[in-house]
Amino acid sequence: MKQGQGLIKFIAVSMVLISLYYLSFTVVGSMFDKAEASYIEKNVSNLKGNVSADSLLKVSNAYKANFRDSFSDKAFLDLFILKYTYKDISKFRIKLGLDLKGGMSFVMAINQEEIMRALSNNSKDPVFDQALKRATAMQTGSQDNYLNLVADAYNQIDPNAKIAPVFAGLSNYQDKIKPTSSNQEVLSVLKFDMNAALGNTYNVLKSRIDQFGVAEAVITLQEGTGRIIVELPGADDIQRVKKLLESSAKLEFWYTYDNKEVAQDFIKANETIKGLNALKKTTAVADTTKKDSGTNALVNKLTSAPAKKDSANDKSNPLFEKFSLNIDPKTGSVFPGPILGFAATKDLEKVMEMLSKEEVKKDFKADVRFVWGAQPTDAEGKFYPLYAIKAMGGQPALTGDAITSAQKESDQFGKPSIGMVMNPQGASTWEKMTELAASDPIGNKSIAILLDNVVYSAPRVQNKISGGRSAITGQFTPEEAQDLANILNSGKIDAPAKIIQEEVVGPSLGQDTIAAGVFSLMVGLGLILAYMLFLYKKPGGLANISLVVNLLFLLGVLASLKAVLTLPGIAGIVLIIGAAVDANVIIFERIKEELRNGSSYIQSLINGFGHSYKTIFDANATTLITSLTLFFFGYGPIKGFAITLTIGIFTSIFTAVFLTREFFNYDIDKKKEVPFTKSFLDKYFENVNFEFIGKRKIAYMFSSAFIIIGLVAIFTVGFDLGVDFKGGRSYVITFDKNVEAPKIKENLDKILDGKTIVKAYGQANQVQITTSYLYGIKENAAESNVNDSIVLSKVYEGTKAEFAKAVNHSDFVSSKVSNFRKIDATIADDIQRSAKTVTLIAMFLIFLYVSVRFNRWQYAAGAIAALLHDLFFTLGLLSLLKSVVPFSLEMNQSIIAAVLTIIGFSTNDTVVIFDRIREFVKRNPNEKLEKTINNAINDTLSRTTTTASTLFLVSMVLFVFGGESIRGFSFTMLIGIFVGTVSSIFIASPIALDLINWFDNRKKAK
């Protein structure tokens, strides 16, 4: 009992001190949060009710930044040698995930096809082009490295095709790639440059996020997948963040055409488009030389003649239905300058499509290239300007490579702008550009400054500019100007990245989740402590002390590792509390067994602890396999659950086994005994002898019937697949009164083409809306943002009538949408594939472990049979109940985590029985195996029932108090604990017995 006593005490004391140190930052952080909230409230209270919710949020964020800056280096709290600055608090406090704090998370996919094209110097080789396109398409259904997919694509197109000729002649690869190099040799060389480009994109994005100012931002590059995960707890301006992330920072300076030089050409373009449309409709050649009254009106406007007010919008003018020329509406004269005209947001793509037609291009000068302005010209933000740049040669006169620094400044009118400083070569080029523009014979010309192919500024140049300084001016907010400067300073992204998954959690929903999670944690802990005292009296009290210390260690380790605590993580803590009791139950039941057999008190302790170690190790090893599988193959918050579960397994073993043992040693040193009195359960489990094995065929029949019903339900009824598994957009809307989900669905179906699922979400005034409207179409980043706005506007239109008090669109977006998720088809496919992979890997590893530990594969087969029983039984019941229960059973990552936790628990239970079988076989090798197994099941029945009831109790607490976000998770756990307990008794051991008998009989027959 006393081996390593000094080491255990040293580790325990050290862990307590370390945990208290790291947790102190969380305690002080809570004090800081309260002081910060008080400071903000004091400064913005007079604005409430006088400004919009959006404006109030921006002002509050400004005061928040000011408060944090004031304590960035100065101590917020000074305790002797410990000084708590905001920087230290942010670094070491337990970080809260998005579901607890609110904020945003994004998964970005880097365009690896673009990287390959850039590395090949935009090769036009047809096989190379086709292979890249095919490899990109194959990415949707594969998690393989992109270069491997390129190799596979080459083999599919032409097994004899060589990649080497595409790269061999390029200066970068002259010494690395020869014309005779094999495809694998070429791809090995390219792998370094591909990884460098991916790393550069990651570093640029990380630099931008660091400058953005979110204290607890997390940005992670997923090796091999070309994906970057960005988490921004507390961030609330989604459009600002998306612009920051998706900008590639390709800065270019171009000469522009003046409106007077191009305006007449739009008349010809309109006629060409009209002719093309007529040709399309009638399949006859249109006479495009004939002018109608609408066209004559436009000509009159351009020659300063009077014209009808609406002639530019005449229905016979297809271009001018979508595009308005920049002309004086009274005189019809053309305004000078670089702006050619305007189009509404919804028409930008259509106008560009018309102007990009080959027949239309002939109506303009050969080097004209049209680009839109970055900022709207009207207060409502509905109309954008069009520019024409001189693109002869296809290369800009000057690029962002010449910029050495950028910073937010103010222009001559005090408005925010971005000042830029150039290197000597750039300064010289800029001086020549401005001199040429200023001396243009038509008049002072403008130079357009493009960032990512949109015009941010097009200043008119009156004199040459020396010294290499320039500025980007426009209608910027201070935040936009600062973000743009940060983007330019962080550098250009060579590999464009697209957002394929996004989630926004409102701070109010986060606070509600924290309250629900902490309350469920406290209630669960309280019930377990009371349960252990009730069952074991003083030994239960000692176990409870270990349990509290375990919680301290677990939180301390999470803080020291800078782990992020999510709601599934809190669920993991609650489950760890329940699972930690299992080790003590195993030990205490063995001690009580030894006492019943007549051993002395000290000998009973020695045997009880000694015989329990192997069982506890095996039981926790299978749970560890499950948690590590979740960690390595899971996504998002599920990783938080896996981290918590993994750490909890180790802290639980230490406190439940070694620390509890030290408490007994303390009493032994004091010549005291800790009495193990009989509990009310003992009278039910002492000398119990149920015939479990003899009734196994009945159990097989019942289980088979339920599983068949479940499988039929799975393949016919199916599941409510959330956006995790099918992609789309999901919103949680909070109303100011109780609402009815079916009525909201009826309204939204009319607007969103019936592509909606609406369900109550926890409270009577909350609903979750999931829609596939405008989902599944190919879109770039700009189109994706437009579609997001369209869908959200339609959701607003379909729900605004349900508010008791009228709410405008802006306040709806900022304060009523509590949660937003969007998942691209690519990542939805990956999540589905990952869920299947995680389950199969966990089962395979458990099979290997049980086979090795128990020396017979039949035990492993019995364990896997029980797992499959639990899996199909649980999933079948979820399918059957999805439309019956009054809460969401949406199939998502949390449900998968619950199913895998059930797998771990069920195996844990099964292993405890197997361990007792192994012990009995060694003790009585000649006893009939059927009797041995039945005795082992009966002998562990007390432990099985106690552990199952404990876990069921904490899962019930999660279900009742944990909040809507994990109600499906906890309900699945409740089903799984019951089913897992049944399968460990009636399925695992009986099947192992039948397989052993079958195998042994075959050997005898031979």
Side-chain angles (χ1 to χ4, degrees), residues 344-409:
T345 307
K346 62 183 178 63
D347 296 326
L348 300 182
E349 186 178 353
K350 183 62 179 176
V351 172
M352 196 58 74
E353 181 186 326
M354 286 190 279
L355 295 177
S356 299
K357 293 180 182 293
E358 290 300 324
E359 297 87 346
V360 177
K361 286 181 181 179
K362 297 174 183 178
D363 294 324
F364 296 94
K365 295 176 175 60
D367 63 346
V368 163
R369 181 178 138 209
F370 295 108
V371 283
W372 293 109
Q375 297 164 314
T377 54
D378 60 317
E380 290 78 19
K382 294 182 178 179
F383 293 92
Y384 285 79
L386 183 69
Y387 298 83
I389 60 175
K390 295 184 177 181
M392 185 62 74
Q395 297 297 321
L398 188 64
T399 68
D401 295 336
I403 305 299
T404 58
S405 67
Q407 57 282 323
K408 185 186 78 172
E409 296 178 345

Coordinates of all heavy atoms in Angstrom, one line a residue, residues 344-409:
A344 N -26.4 48.7 -60.2 CA -26.8 48.2 -58.9 C -26.0 47.0 -58.5 O -25.6 46.2 -59.4 CB -28.3 48.0 -58.9
T345 N -25.9 46.7 -57.2 CA -25.2 45.5 -56.8 C -25.7 44.2 -57.5 O -24.8 43.4 -57.9 CB -25.4 45.4 -55.2 OG1 -25.0 46.6 -54.6 CG2 -24.6 44.2 -54.7
K346 N -27.0 44.1 -57.6 CA -27.5 42.9 -58.2 C -27.2 42.7 -59.7 O -27.3 41.6 -60.2 CB -29.0 42.8 -57.9 CG -29.8 43.9 -58.6 CD -31.3 43.9 -58.3 CE -32.1 45.0 -58.9 NZ -32.0 45.0 -60.4
D347 N -26.8 43.8 -60.3 CA -26.6 43.8 -61.8 C -25.1 43.8 -62.2 O -24.8 43.7 -63.4 CB -27.3 45.0 -62.4 CG -28.8 45.0 -62.3 OD1 -29.3 43.9 -62.3 OD2 -29.4 46.1 -62.1
L348 N -24.2 43.8 -61.2 CA -22.8 43.9 -61.5 C -22.3 42.8 -62.4 O -21.6 43.0 -63.4 CB -21.9 44.0 -60.2 CG -22.2 45.1 -59.3 CD1 -21.3 45.0 -58.1 CD2 -22.0 46.5 -60.0
E349 N -22.7 41.6 -62.0 CA -22.3 40.4 -62.8 C -22.8 40.4 -64.2 O -22.1 40.0 -65.1 CB -22.7 39.1 -62.0 CG -22.1 37.9 -62.6 CD -22.5 36.6 -61.8 OE1 -23.1 36.8 -60.7 OE2 -22.3 35.5 -62.3
K350 N -24.1 40.8 -64.3 CA -24.8 40.8 -65.6 C -24.1 41.8 -66.6 O -23.9 41.5 -67.7 CB -26.3 41.1 -65.4 CG -27.1 41.0 -66.7 CD -27.0 39.7 -67.3 CE -27.9 39.6 -68.6 NZ -27.8 38.3 -69.3
V351 N -23.8 43.0 -66.0 CA -23.2 44.0 -66.9 C -21.8 43.5 -67.4 O -21.5 43.7 -68.5 CB -23.1 45.4 -66.1 CG1 -22.2 46.4 -66.9 CG2 -24.4 45.9 -65.8
M352 N -21.0 43.0 -66.4 CA -19.7 42.5 -66.8 C -19.8 41.4 -67.8 O -19.0 41.2 -68.7 CB -18.9 42.1 -65.6 CG -17.4 41.9 -65.8 SD -16.7 43.5 -66.3 CE -16.7 44.4 -64.8
E353 N -20.8 40.5 -67.7 CA -21.0 39.4 -68.6 C -21.3 40.0 -70.0 O -20.8 39.5 -71.0 CB -22.2 38.6 -68.1 CG -22.5 37.4 -69.0 CD -23.8 36.7 -68.6 OE1 -24.1 36.6 -67.4 OE2 -24.5 36.2 -69.5
M354 N -22.1 41.1 -70.1 CA -22.4 41.7 -71.4 C -21.2 42.3 -72.0 O -20.9 42.1 -73.2 CB -23.5 42.7 -71.3 CG -24.9 42.1 -71.1 SD -26.3 43.3 -71.2 CE -26.2 44.0 -69.6
L355 N -20.4 43.0 -71.2 CA -19.2 43.7 -71.7 C -18.1 42.7 -72.1 O -17.1 43.1 -72.8 CB -18.7 44.7 -70.7 CG -19.7 45.9 -70.4 CD1 -19.1 46.8 -69.3 CD2 -19.9 46.7 -71.7
S356 N -18.1 41.5 -71.5 CA -17.1 40.5 -71.8 C -17.3 39.7 -73.1 O -16.4 38.9 -73.4 CB -17.0 39.5 -70.6 OG -16.6 40.3 -69.4
K357 N -18.4 39.9 -73.7 CA -18.7 39.1 -75.0 C -17.7 39.5 -76.0 O -17.4 40.7 -76.2 CB -20.1 39.4 -75.4 CG -21.2 38.8 -74.5 CD -22.6 39.1 -75.1 CE -23.7 38.5 -74.1 NZ -23.7 37.1 -74.1
E358 N -17.2 38.6 -76.8 CA -16.1 38.8 -77.8 C -16.7 39.9 -78.8 O -15.9 40.7 -79.3 CB -15.7 37.5 -78.5 CG -14.9 36.6 -77.6 CD -13.6 37.2 -77.1 OE1 -13.0 38.0 -77.9 OE2 -13.3 37.0 -75.9
E359 N -17.9 39.8 -79.2 CA -18.5 40.7 -80.2 C -18.6 42.1 -79.6 O -18.4 43.1 -80.4 CB -19.9 40.2 -80.6 CG -20.0 38.9 -81.3 CD -20.1 37.7 -80.3 OE1 -19.9 38.0 -79.0 OE2 -20.4 36.6 -80.7
V360 N -18.8 42.2 -78.3 CA -18.9 43.6 -77.7 C -17.5 44.2 -77.5 O -17.4 45.4 -77.6 CB -19.6 43.4 -76.3 CG1 -19.7 44.8 -75.6 CG2 -21.1 42.9 -76.5
K361 N -16.5 43.4 -77.2 CA -15.2 43.9 -77.0 C -14.7 44.7 -78.2 O -13.9 45.6 -78.1 CB -14.2 42.7 -76.7 CG -14.3 42.1 -75.3 CD -13.3 41.0 -75.1 CE -13.4 40.4 -73.8 NZ -12.4 39.3 -73.6
K362 N -15.1 44.3 -79.4 CA -14.7 44.9 -80.7 C -15.2 46.4 -80.7 O -14.7 47.2 -81.5 CB -15.2 44.2 -81.9 CG -14.6 42.7 -82.0 CD -15.2 41.9 -83.1 CE -14.6 40.5 -83.1 NZ -15.2 39.7 -84.2
D363 N -16.2 46.7 -79.9 CA -16.8 48.1 -80.0 C -15.9 49.1 -79.1 O -16.1 50.3 -79.2 CB -18.2 48.1 -79.4 CG -19.2 47.4 -80.3 OD1 -19.0 47.4 -81.5 OD2 -20.1 46.7 -79.7
F364 N -15.0 48.5 -78.4 CA -14.1 49.4 -77.5 C -12.6 49.3 -78.0 O -12.3 48.4 -78.8 CB -14.2 48.9 -76.1 CG -15.5 49.1 -75.4 CD1 -16.5 48.0 -75.4 CD2 -15.9 50.3 -74.9 CE1 -17.7 48.2 -74.9 CE2 -17.2 50.5 -74.3 CZ -18.1 49.4 -74.3
K365 N -11.8 50.1 -77.5 CA -10.4 50.1 -77.8 C -9.8 48.7 -77.4 O -10.2 48.2 -76.4 CB -9.7 51.3 -77.2 CG -10.1 52.6 -77.7 CD -9.5 53.8 -77.0 CE -9.8 55.1 -77.6 NZ -11.3 55.4 -77.6
A366 N -8.8 48.3 -78.1 CA -8.3 46.9 -77.8 C -7.7 46.7 -76.4 O -7.7 45.6 -75.9 CB -7.2 46.6 -78.9
D367 N -7.2 47.8 -75.8 CA -6.6 47.6 -74.5 C -7.5 48.0 -73.3 O -7.1 48.1 -72.2 CB -5.3 48.4 -74.4 CG -5.5 49.9 -74.5 OD1 -6.6 50.3 -74.9 OD2 -4.6 50.7 -74.2
V368 N -8.8 48.2 -73.6 CA -9.7 48.5 -72.5 C -10.0 47.3 -71.7 O -10.3 46.2 -72.2 CB -11.0 49.1 -73.1 CG1 -12.1 49.0 -72.0 CG2 -10.8 50.5 -73.6
R369 N -9.9 47.5 -70.4 CA -10.4 46.4 -69.4 C -11.2 47.1 -68.4 O -10.8 48.1 -67.8 CB -9.1 45.8 -68.7 CG -9.5 44.7 -67.8 CD -8.3 44.0 -67.2 NE -8.5 43.8 -65.7 CZ -7.5 43.8 -64.9 NH1 -6.2 44.0 -65.3 NH2 -7.7 43.5 -63.6
F370 N -12.4 46.5 -68.2 CA -13.4 47.1 -67.2 C -13.2 46.5 -65.8 O -13.1 45.3 -65.7 CB -14.8 46.9 -67.7 CG -15.1 47.6 -69.0 CD1 -15.3 46.9 -70.2 CD2 -15.2 49.0 -69.1 CE1 -15.5 47.5 -71.4 CE2 -15.5 49.7 -70.3 CZ -15.6 48.9 -71.4
V371 N -13.3 47.4 -64.8 CA -13.2 47.0 -63.4 C -14.2 47.8 -62.6 O -14.4 49.0 -62.9 CB -11.8 47.1 -62.8 CG1 -10.9 46.0 -63.3 CG2 -11.2 48.5 -63.2
W372 N -14.8 47.2 -61.6 CA -15.7 47.9 -60.7 C -15.0 48.6 -59.6 O -13.9 48.1 -59.2 CB -16.7 46.9 -60.1 CG -17.7 46.3 -61.1 CD1 -17.7 45.0 -61.5 CD2 -18.7 47.0 -61.8 NE1 -18.7 44.9 -62.5 CE2 -19.3 46.0 -62.6 CE3 -19.2 48.3 -61.7 CZ2 -20.4 46.4 -63.4 CZ3 -20.3 48.6 -62.5 CH2 -20.9 47.7 -63.4
G373 N -15.6 49.6 -59.0 CA -15.0 50.2 -57.8 C -15.3 49.4 -56.6 O -16.2 48.6 -56.6
A374 N -14.5 49.6 -55.6 CA -14.6 48.8 -54.3 C -15.7 49.3 -53.4 O -16.3 48.5 -52.6 CB -13.3 48.8 -53.6
Q375 N -16.1 50.6 -53.6 CA -17.0 51.2 -52.7 C -18.2 51.8 -53.4 O -18.0 52.3 -54.5 CB -16.3 52.3 -51.9 CG -15.2 51.7 -51.0 CD -14.3 52.8 -50.5 OE1 -13.9 53.7 -51.2 NE2 -14.0 52.8 -49.2
P376 N -19.4 51.7 -52.9 CA -20.6 52.2 -53.5 C -20.5 53.8 -53.5 O -19.8 54.4 -52.7 CB -21.7 51.7 -52.6 CG -21.1 51.5 -51.3 CD -19.7 51.0 -51.6
T377 N -21.2 54.3 -54.5 CA -21.2 55.8 -54.6 C -22.4 56.5 -53.9 O -22.4 57.7 -53.8 CB -21.2 56.2 -56.1 OG1 -22.4 55.5 -56.7 CG2 -20.0 55.7 -56.8
D378 N -23.4 55.7 -53.5 CA -24.5 56.2 -52.8 C -24.6 55.9 -51.3 O -23.9 54.9 -50.9 CB -25.8 55.7 -53.5 CG -25.9 54.2 -53.4 OD1 -24.9 53.5 -53.6 OD2 -27.0 53.7 -53.1
A379 N -25.3 56.6 -50.6 CA -25.4 56.4 -49.1 C -26.0 55.1 -48.7 O -25.6 54.5 -47.7 CB -26.2 57.5 -48.5
E380 N -26.9 54.5 -49.5 CA -27.5 53.2 -49.2 C -26.6 52.1 -49.6 O -26.9 50.9 -49.3 CB -28.8 53.1 -50.0 CG -29.9 54.0 -49.5 CD -29.8 55.4 -50.0 OE1 -29.0 55.6 -51.0 OE2 -30.3 56.4 -49.4
G381 N -25.5 52.3 -50.3 CA -24.6 51.3 -50.7 C -25.1 50.3 -51.8 O -24.8 49.1 -51.8
K382 N -25.9 50.8 -52.7 CA -26.6 50.0 -53.7 C -25.9 50.1 -55.1 O -26.1 49.2 -56.0 CB -28.0 50.3 -53.9 CG -28.9 50.0 -52.6 CD -30.3 50.4 -52.8 CE -31.2 50.0 -51.6 NZ -32.6 50.4 -51.8
F383 N -25.2 51.2 -55.4 CA -24.7 51.4 -56.8 C -23.1 51.5 -56.7 O -22.6 52.2 -55.9 CB -25.3 52.7 -57.4 CG -26.7 52.5 -57.7 CD1 -27.7 52.9 -56.7 CD2 -27.2 52.0 -58.9 CE1 -29.0 52.8 -56.9 CE2 -28.5 51.8 -59.1 CZ -29.5 52.2 -58.2
Y384 N -22.5 50.8 -57.7 CA -21.0 50.8 -57.8 C -20.6 51.4 -59.1 O -21.2 51.2 -60.1 CB -20.5 49.4 -57.6 CG -20.6 48.9 -56.2 CD1 -21.8 48.4 -55.7 CD2 -19.4 48.9 -55.4 CE1 -21.9 47.9 -54.4 CE2 -19.5 48.4 -54.1 CZ -20.7 47.9 -53.6 OH -20.8 47.5 -52.3
P385 N -19.4 52.1 -59.1 CA -18.9 52.8 -60.3 C -18.1 51.8 -61.2 O -17.5 50.8 -60.7 CB -18.0 53.9 -59.8 CG -17.5 53.3 -58.4 CD -18.6 52.5 -57.9
L386 N -18.1 52.1 -62.5 CA -17.3 51.3 -63.4 C -16.2 52.1 -64.0 O -16.3 53.3 -64.3 CB -18.2 50.8 -64.6 CG -17.5 49.9 -65.6 CD1 -17.2 48.5 -65.0 CD2 -18.4 49.7 -66.8
Y387 N -15.0 51.5 -64.1 CA -13.8 52.2 -64.6 C -13.3 51.4 -65.8 O -13.5 50.2 -66.0 CB -12.7 52.2 -63.5 CG -13.0 53.0 -62.3 CD1 -13.7 52.4 -61.3 CD2 -12.6 54.3 -62.1 CE1 -14.1 53.1 -60.1 CE2 -12.9 55.0 -61.0 CZ -13.6 54.4 -60.0 OH -13.9 55.1 -58.8
A388 N -12.5 52.1 -66.6 CA -11.8 51.5 -67.8 C -10.3 51.7 -67.6 O -9.9 52.9 -67.6 CB -12.3 52.0 -69.1
I389 N -9.5 50.6 -67.5 CA -8.0 50.8 -67.4 C -7.4 50.4 -68.7 O -7.9 49.7 -69.5 CB -7.5 50.0 -66.2 CG1 -7.7 48.5 -66.4 CG2 -8.0 50.4 -64.9 CD1 -7.1 47.6 -65.4
K390 N -6.2 51.0 -68.9 CA -5.4 50.7 -70.1 C -4.6 49.4 -69.9 O -3.6 49.5 -69.2 CB -4.5 51.8 -70.5 CG -5.3 53.1 -70.9 CD -4.4 54.2 -71.3 CE -5.2 55.4 -71.8 NZ -4.3 56.5 -72.3
A391 N -5.0 48.3 -70.4 CA -4.4 47.0 -70.1 C -3.5 46.5 -71.2 O -3.4 45.3 -71.3 CB -5.5 46.0 -69.7
M392 N -3.0 47.4 -72.0 CA -2.1 46.9 -73.1 C -0.9 46.2 -72.5 O -0.2 46.7 -71.7 CB -1.7 48.1 -74.0 CG -0.9 47.7 -75.2 SD -1.8 46.7 -76.3 CE -2.9 47.9 -77.1
G393 N -0.6 45.0 -73.0 CA 0.5 44.2 -72.5 C 0.0 43.3 -71.3 O 0.8 42.4 -70.9
G394 N -1.1 43.6 -70.7 CA -1.6 42.8 -69.6 C -1.0 42.9 -68.3 O -1.3 42.3 -67.3
Q395 N 0.0 43.8 -68.2 CA 0.7 44.0 -66.9 C 0.6 45.5 -66.4 O 0.6 46.4 -67.2 CB 2.2 43.7 -67.1 CG 2.5 42.3 -67.4 CD 2.1 41.3 -66.4 OE1 2.2 41.5 -65.2 NE2 1.6 40.1 -66.8
P396 N 0.4 45.7 -65.1 CA 0.3 47.0 -64.6 C 1.6 47.7 -64.6 O 2.7 47.1 -64.7 CB -0.2 46.8 -63.1 CG 0.3 45.4 -62.8 CD 0.3 44.6 -64.0
A397 N 1.5 49.1 -64.7 CA 2.8 49.8 -64.7 C 3.5 49.7 -63.4 O 4.8 49.8 -63.4 CB 2.4 51.3 -64.9
L398 N 2.8 49.5 -62.3 CA 3.5 49.4 -61.0 C 2.6 48.4 -60.1 O 1.4 48.3 -60.2 CB 3.5 50.8 -60.3 CG 4.3 50.9 -59.0 CD1 5.8 50.7 -59.2 CD2 4.1 52.3 -58.4
T399 N 3.3 47.6 -59.2 CA 2.6 46.6 -58.4 C 2.9 46.9 -56.9 O 3.8 47.7 -56.6 CB 3.0 45.2 -58.7 OG1 4.3 45.0 -58.4 CG2 2.8 44.9 -60.2
G400 N 2.2 46.1 -56.1 CA 2.4 46.3 -54.6 C 3.7 45.8 -54.1 O 4.1 46.1 -53.0
D401 N 4.5 45.2 -55.0 CA 5.9 44.8 -54.6 C 6.7 46.0 -54.3 O 7.7 45.9 -53.6 CB 6.5 43.9 -55.7 CG 5.8 42.6 -55.9 OD1 5.2 42.1 -54.9 OD2 5.9 42.0 -57.0
A402 N 6.3 47.1 -54.8 CA 7.1 48.4 -54.6 C 6.8 49.0 -53.3 O 7.5 49.9 -52.8 CB 6.9 49.4 -55.7
I403 N 5.7 48.6 -52.6 CA 5.3 49.2 -51.3 C 6.1 48.7 -50.2 O 6.2 47.4 -50.0 CB 3.8 49.0 -51.1 CG1 3.0 49.5 -52.3 CG2 3.4 49.7 -49.8 CD1 3.1 50.9 -52.6
T404 N 6.8 49.5 -49.4 CA 7.6 49.1 -48.3 C 6.8 49.2 -47.0 O 7.0 48.5 -46.0 CB 8.8 49.9 -48.1 OG1 8.5 51.3 -48.0 CG2 9.7 49.7 -49.3
S405 N 5.8 50.1 -46.9 CA 5.0 50.3 -45.7 C 3.7 51.0 -46.0 O 3.6 51.7 -47.0 CB 5.7 51.0 -44.6 OG 6.0 52.4 -45.0
A406 N 2.7 50.7 -45.2 CA 1.4 51.4 -45.4 C 0.8 51.7 -44.0 O 1.0 50.9 -43.1 CB 0.4 50.5 -46.2
Q407 N 0.1 52.8 -43.9 CA -0.4 53.2 -42.6 C -1.7 54.0 -42.8 O -1.9 54.7 -43.8 CB 0.6 53.9 -41.7 CG 1.1 55.2 -42.3 CD 2.2 54.9 -43.3 OE1 3.0 54.0 -43.1 NE2 2.2 55.7 -44.4
K408 N -2.6 53.9 -41.8 CA -3.8 54.7 -41.8 C -3.4 56.2 -41.6 O -2.7 56.5 -40.6 CB -4.8 54.2 -40.7 CG -6.1 54.9 -40.8 CD -7.0 54.5 -39.6 CE -6.6 55.3 -38.3 NZ -7.5 55.1 -37.2
E409 N -4.0 57.1 -42.4 CA -3.7 58.5 -42.3 C -5.1 59.2 -42.5 O -6.1 58.6 -42.5 CB -2.7 59.0 -43.3 CG -1.3 58.4 -43.2 CD -0.4 58.8 -44.3 OE1 -0.9 59.4 -45.3 OE2 0.8 58.6 -44.1

